[in-house]
Amino acid sequence: MSNVKKRKLIDKGFHILVFLTTLFGLLILSILLFDILKDGLKWINIEFFTNFTSRFAEKAGIRAPLFGSIWIITITMIFAFPIGVGSALYLEEYSDDKKILTKIIKLNISNLAGVPSIVFGILGLGIFVNFLGFGRSILSGALTLTLLILPIIIVSSQEAIKSVPKELRHGAYALGATKWQVVKGVVLPYSLPGILTGSILAIARALGETAPLIIIGAVTFIAFIPESIFDKFTTLPMQVYNWSTMPQTEFHDLAAGAIIILLILLLGANAVAIILRNKYQNRIK
Amino acid sequence: MNIKIDVKNLDFFYGDFKALNNINIEIEENKVTAFIGPSGCGKSTFIRTMNRMNDLIDGTKHVGEIIYEGKNIYSSEVDVVELRTKVGMVFQKPNPFPKSIYENIVFGPKRNGIKKKAELDRIVETSLKDAALWEEVKDRLDSSAWSLSGGQQQRLCIARALAMKPDVLLMDEPTSALDPVATSKIEELIGELKDKYTIVIVTHSMQQAGRISDNTAFFLMGKLIEYGETSKIFSNPEDKRTEDYITGRFG
Amino acid sequence: MNIKIDVKNLDFFYGDFKALNNINIEIEENKVTAFIGPSGCGKSTFIRTMNRMNDLIDGTKHVGEIIYEGKNIYSSEVDVVELRTKVGMVFQKPNPFPKSIYENIVFGPKRNGIKKKAELDRIVETSLKDAALWEEVKDRLDSSAWSLSGGQQQRLCIARALAMKPDVLLMDEPTSALDPVATSKIEELIGELKDKYTIVIVTHSMQQAGRISDNTAFFLMGKLIEYGETSKIFSNPEDKRTEDYITGRFG
Amino acid sequence: MYAIQEKSKKINRNKIKKRNVKERCIKIILFLLASISILTTIGIVIILSRETISFLREVSIIEFLTGTEWTALFANPKFGVLPLVMGTLMIAVYGSFIAIPIGLGSAIYLSEYASEKTRKIVKPLLEILSGIPSIVYGYFALTFITPLLQKVIPDINIFNALSASVAVGIMIIPMISSLSEDAMKAVPNEIRQGAYALGATKFEVSIKIVVPAALSSIISSFVLAISRAIGETMIVSLAAGSTPKLTLNPLESVQTMTSFIVQVASGDVTHGSLIYKTIFAVGMLLFLITLIMNIIARMIIKKYREEY
Amino acid sequence: ETEGEEKSNDTKKSEELSGSIEIDGSSTVYPITMAVAEEFQIGHEDTEVTVGVSGTGGGMKRFTIGETNISNASREIKEEEAEIAEENGIEFTRLTVALDGISVVVNSNNDWADDITVEELKKIWEPNSSVKKWSDINSNWPEEEIKLYGPGTDSGTFDYFTEAIVGESGATRTDFTASEDDNVLVQGVAGDEYALGYFGYAYYEENKDKLKALSIDGVEPTPENIGSEKYTPLARPIFIYVNNDHYKNKSQVKEFVDYYLNNGKSIVPSTGYVALTEERYEEELNKLKELGTK
Ligand SMILES: Nc1ncnc2c1ncn2[C@@H]1O[C@H](COP(=O)(O)OP(=O)(O)OP(=O)(O)O)[C@@H](O)[C@H]1O
Ligand SMILES: Nc1ncnc2c1ncn2[C@@H]1O[C@H](COP(=O)(O)OP(=O)(O)OP(=O)(O)O)[C@@H](O)[C@H]1O
Ligand SMILES: [Mg+2]
Ligand SMILES: [Mg+2]
């Protein structure tokens, strides 16, 4: 009997522990958000969105980087999502696990996740800017970020696909479904929540990167809005970084203002994924 | 009397484990063939070779031939996807897709290119009626198939297979999760279906085998011990082991 | 004649759907009680309330009381973990853990603080023997439980429950996936166990209910229609609906 | 009659053929998509190794790999990479000490303990943590974590590896919590119920059943998260300074391999000079280190994988 | 790709200017160039000025192959870079556009030191320095360990300081605490009573309440002293490099550079840097005049 008591106690303790770990994350988040909001909120007004950057904090705005970030994240996801999910599908559904090539691809992908982002920048400069001649444009930036976040999407999609129960696949195969029909009809819907989680994390990463973009030539001062994927651009995190290295403290607060917008943009970009994820996860339960 | 499926010298392996040992059997067209035998004897393994579901398990291999429509189903001439649309299957454990009831049924037909809503609706209704599930779910075709009871799920899986209008229907203990009323409906259905289809059914219930099957095959430890007309097998088995098994008091 | 579990005015809801409607029943100690009824009538739902497994489903609620050992199992005095160690359960679908056969069996005993290898080995052997699985798996206790056949998996789950030495054993169609030989062993086992344990079993098989149970309860659409001694229910049911169901030709 | 049958057979053949061609195409397309990653790696290896070879012509590999002083940008440069490696390992290891328990704890809480409603709200909230720009974490470490640490450990350096590790750890929590949570959610409910029915507590179900069943995905999430920790630069250069130092003491200022790379790549040195080449050599070494880490992780996953 | 079509604009008036001006390079120079660009764009709406921050090295790499019109540089062009420029037929002019006074700062609680000599600084910062405590510099100062802070080793400030104080670029003791971000150095010195550090004037200027700047050989780092280059040797010039060919052939580039030097006096102070004297700006403009008449 004392055994049960002990186990219940462990369970209680564990419950509290994992609750606290979750709370820890939320607590840090609220501290960070509070800090950012405290400094940044007062700067957010119409001009903040309509002005370009300036050496005077009162006149500085985020028009160019806001549009730049929206462009970049949209194009990046347009490339990264299908490539990432497609790769994961190939690896989990189509490839032969015993083949050495498959093993190499799998190892290689999780290894890519550890390559510093700046190296992707150097790669992007070589391939997209110079070799393919896309110039120092949104397209080059987005493609570079695509390569950077692919491992996140691929690995998390792979894990999600792996978790689809065998019986479900078998049920579909037994109905004379082809592999692709099984994938489309059963595997993808079941694994979608996990795939979306990967995408959410990937979006967060892509939206916050600066180093590789600097390498491929994203500028910091730009007083016009990009109109096509071949235009020059700047992004919110670059503006944030630039402002926070300024000596004047008003710029640090301005940076906080830009971060607020960045986070709103992030939540907006994630909202679709989060809603879809919840919907599909419900179904699976 | 036509032979629909002709199995010749079939061995089957899970890795090194030989689950089927030199099986020879002829499945007759428009008949119900029942497989009986103790748990683990290889009934599921065998029924799954007939539409090559075992291809999906890593490390399996076979020796021998299964002739269907004049061709060895393992030969390169035969397209496995096509094979499975003709040789349908219902599993031992219900395995509905995590989709709505409606989507579960139309999964197969849609793959086969049927797009019209009206036709799909009709297929859903007839299949569910055939599987004796229509009354229970007709008002909630859009709710998740996973919220059904175990027996309902199994009937849904049967309906799903019927929606494909298969040529041969393999059923691995389709009624083991069903109550008598639903079982009776399925059994009636099998009786009706056999005019058009060839049916192979794995069952634990001697009574069921006796009631619905024309031929019965008795398996033991991966071997086919005896095969023949059900009446013969049940009344006058040749093999002592068959007799022992059948005269067990239980079922 | 002791009352082991006393159910009073029990309603049970999945969200807004009322799956059980005012159930009143007294489960007798050291007896086998069988629940019968058509698919979807709420048998599984009811048996699962008795060890509060339904707590695990979101959005469920109950009204009424289930008295076990003098306490309402839903009251705060009763610890659900302890309740479940005393009221064991075997499910309709086999659900072994994705671990080795050995680890599946010792999972419960280990939680209960049994650490000694020798004792655990002994428990594994006796439980597997009791569940009529020992011979088939004794040489591969370390292989994954998921590589067993459907019936083997179900027997493993029974063995796993027996390893806990429960006070009450709830079985939701434990033999629906078993062949006659294994079924007979389990039924024999149930006969032996009832001296020490109280057993509640859901079954589709009238024959099985008739063979092994002392009392039988008949459910229909969430209601308890009739409850009494099995012999009485089978020979002379009071309710027309019970009679209709029982005299169905099938099972 | 016979002819009609023949004809329909032919149509059928065509259909099958068409379908098989489609299936083939899909497979090829997917393969091409997957090979983009291979090409990326090949590109990276080419870029890195070309300059690395040229670097190693000027600096002996022995000095590079075993030297204990990294003063690449000083007047008499020494190219012993160990201080950078140590800095990297320290950030990654201490960061993981924070992120793994907290991330996994949160994942277990969300998957096994929290109500559906809580889960739906908290999970995306935690995910914001990985979207906050790392510069914010850098300043957070410097102006919040470090002063906090100074209260406990008075002689801690104002720039220190510990503070940076904590911030890096926090940033990667969502990778672990979200991906692991997904994996645990995918463990079939029946398995859980089997354990509950044996009188297991939630703790036991979580730790003994759910976590082992989802282990391979959980380890993958660790690898992804640690990879991101290794790649992080901004936090480290803000909170840990930019002082390459061969130390295991988290209270001191360090520099990591990636923050060195960024420092030089976006700094004032001449492109093409020896110093500029160091970033490729360091990048190459990092590539090899993560490769080894991944091979080990793969071995672990293989060993503990539980199929369901 | 920035060339072409604009050729005809040569001598047109500024209102009709269009085309792009690409500038890249040091992040140290960025605030000044950006400020000029900001002002320049008012009234020149059709020109597209972009300013990047690839670092002096990264900027030079692009500049020496003719990709950019102007390169921001916090140091002089290196020999290797000049060679590449020559190979590519790129001729250029270096222009000094502003000055930065590298400030030597201590904690505001430091009540012993107000002035320091170049000699003393050298003694502190030279490689293998024997200075461990404040008292090692001046026996009147406390016997406390001196904590040194300096900018990242890949910065123009670092190069300039070591060159000016120790005599060789990059020659310095290695046991100081470095940070890439001057704001972070401010934090470091402000939080450490026995600290001594150096960084750009603007960062001192903005944090006067937390820090104290030492005078060097009696000269304080004030805008006047820096602008007149009396603050030796730590008044450090800030450069831009202009592509001669672009200056000559692209009116928007010429217009921009001229604007830069003509308005430097008024714009530079708002960026935290110190403007040159009028005469110095004249001198720089003259370098271009020669170019124009050539
Ligand atoms: N999780 C759930 N959510 C919503 N409804 C449910 C859920 N589980 C069961 N039900 C519904 O409750 C009713 C009773 O289900 P239950 O599983 O108890 O039936 P049963 O008598 O065990 O049937 P069977 O013999 O087919 O197993 C059915 O109508 C079923 O659809
Ligand atoms: N995937 C597998 N890997 C290895 N062995 C397997 C696998 N599936 C089945 N087996 C083994 O093959 C043998 C036959 O299994 P099968 O599932 O065909 O039995 P069955 O006759 O259908 O039994 P049941 O009536 O219990 O369903 C059993 O010993 C089983 O353990
Ligand atoms: Mg079977
Ligand atoms: Mg049930």
Side-chain angles (χ1 to χ4, degrees), chain B residues 140 147 149 151-152, chain C residues 14 17 39-45 92 204:
Chain B
R140 48 168 174 158
S147 68
S149 80
Q152 288 168 330
Chain C
Y14 292 107
F17 176 69
S39 177
C41 68
K43 306 179 295 293
S44 295
T45 303
Q92 192 165 0
H204 281 129

Side-chain angles (χ1 to χ4, degrees), chain A residues 7 10-11 14-15 18-19 21-22 24-26 28-29 31-32 36 82-83 86-87 89-90 94 101 105-116 118-120 122-123 147 150 152 154-156 159 162-163 166 178-180 190 193-194 197 200-201 204-205 210 215 240-241 244 259 262-263 266-267 274 277-278 281-282 285, chain D residues 19 23 26-27 30-31 33-34 36-38 40-41 43-44 47 102 105-106 108-109 113 116 119-120 122-133 135-137 139-140 144 170 175 178-179 182 185-186 199-204 207 216-217 220 224 227-228 234 258 261-262 265 280 286-287 290-291 294-295 298 305 307-308:
Chain A
R7 289 167 51 213
I10 293 174
D11 184 45
F14 187 70
H15 188 161
V18 291
F19 175 71
T21 58
T22 313
F24 175 83
L26 293 177
I28 298 282
L29 181 68
I31 294 173
L32 285 167
I36 297 166
I83 296 178
S87 305
L89 283 176
Y90 176 77
Y94 286 85
L101 181 66
I105 299 183
K106 284 189 177 177
L107 176 63
N108 158 64
I109 283 169
S110 40
N111 193 44
L112 269 182
V115 174
I118 191 118
V119 174
F120 282 95
I122 296 169
L123 182 74
L147 297 186
L150 266 184
I152 302 176
I154 297 176
V155 172
S156 47
E159 295 303 330
K162 265 190 229 163
S163 71
K166 270 201 204 76
T178 62
K179 196 155 211 164
W180 176 241
Y190 191 93
T197 298
I200 289 169
L201 295 169
R205 175 97 195 253
T210 51
I215 296 290
V240 167
Y241 178 64
S244 41
I259 290 166
L262 181 66
L263 289 181
L266 176 71
L267 279 182
I274 292 171
R277 179 173 70 185
N278 284 340
Q281 210 147 34
N282 277 353
K285 274 195 70 195
Chain D
R19 198 196 54 216
E23 286 290 312
I26 287 169
K27 180 169 177 177
L30 293 179
F31 173 75
L33 293 180
I36 288 175
S37 314
I38 287 281
T40 308
T41 305
I44 286 172
I47 284 180
I102 292 179
S106 308
I108 292 174
Y109 177 75
Y113 286 85
E116 195 54 22
R119 197 181 70 81
K120 268 188 193 153
V122 171
K123 193 173 173 183
L125 279 181
L126 284 182
E127 280 160 354
I128 298 178
L129 278 178
S130 77
I132 289 181
I135 192 162
V136 177
Y137 282 107
Y139 279 104
F140 176 70
F144 187 87
I170 292 169
M175 289 226 143
S178 283
L179 293 175
D182 281 342
K185 262 266 139 29
T201 62
K202 240 180 188 156
F203 164 73
E204 290 156 353
I207 294 297
S216 77
S217 302
S220 293
L224 273 186
S227 298
R228 172 130 196 222
M234 202 75 85
T258 41
I261 294 174
V262 171
F280 295 92
L286 185 61
F287 187 87
T290 52
L291 187 68
N294 272 296
I295 291 173
R298 224 141 258 282
R305 173 122 213 223
E307 299 257 5
Y308 55 83

Side-chain angles (χ1 to χ4, degrees), chain A residues 1 3-4 7-8 167 285, chain C residues 58 79 81-82 111-113:
Chain A
M1 283 315 99
N3 177 37
V4 175
R7 289 167 51 213
K8 288 292 287 184
E167 294 120 53
K285 274 195 70 195
Chain C
D58 272 351
D79 180 84
V81 167
E82 192 151 352
R111 302 284 88 68
N112 271 352

